[in-house]
Amino acid sequence: MTFIDDPELAALRAEAGQEIQANAGLMFRHKGTFTRSQNGRTREYPCRFSVRDPVKGSRDQVAAAEAFATAAGAAFRDVRVLTVHPDDARPPEGAVLTTPWDGGRLEVRSWSQPSDFTGQAIGLCLLRR
């Protein structure tokens, strides 16, 4: 039996999905549109989302954000963690939020692998001031 075939795990995944949906209004408090231009065309990605400062996360999230900032040549203070409502399409890497965010522009730079439990992925963004 694999994790995929485990009926108890499947039931827990379903329950987690229901809890995310039930609390979506609290978890994804913002609405906005990210845009990405490619080959002379601009595509829009409207979504509901949340943005966090990685300092408020776990030690692993802080370490990942620090490594990301170093690799991107950016200040750690300008890294933000993005989570998108599960019913909405995640904006691709390079997409920028069309409305100002915290005195700058929020740019999606990378996505984590989706969780095998909730299906949620974490986006790392740079706040361009």
Side-chain angles (χ1 to χ4, degrees):
M1 181 184 307
T2 66
F3 287 123
I4 296 170
D5 301 333
D6 184 347
E8 185 176 339
L9 184 58
L12 289 171
R13 282 184 181 135
E15 185 178 341
Q18 291 170 351
E19 288 297 319
I20 290 171
Q21 289 292 342
N23 293 295
L26 295 172
M27 294 174 65
F28 309 101
R29 298 176 301 279
H30 308 288
K31 292 180 186 177
T33 301
F34 288 80
T35 60
R36 181 170 180 230
S37 297
Q38 189 174 24
N39 299 327
R41 297 174 59 181
T42 299
R43 184 156 180 213
E44 294 186 344
Y45 300 87
C47 61
R48 296 162 284 177
F49 60 92
S50 69
V51 177
R52 285 185 295 110
D53 186 328
V55 171
K56 298 176 184 175
S58 70
R59 255 189 290 181
D60 289 342
Q61 289 176 338
V62 170
E66 285 177 334
F68 167 75
T70 300
F76 173 73
R77 70 178 181 277
D78 292 335
V79 175
R80 297 293 182 271
V81 177
L82 173 70
T83 311
V84 174
H85 191 290
D87 292 341
D88 298 343
R90 288 191 300 263
E93 293 175 11
V96 177
L97 185 61
T98 57
T99 55
W101 186 269
D102 195 19
R105 297 186 63 174
L106 198 60
E107 177 186 350
V108 179
R109 294 297 300 268
S110 68
W111 285 100
S112 71
Q113 181 176 349
S115 165
D116 66 342
F117 186 67
T118 65
Q120 289 291 111
I122 301 297
L124 290 176
C125 300
L126 288 179
L127 183 59
R128 302 283 191 187
R129 297 177 199 262

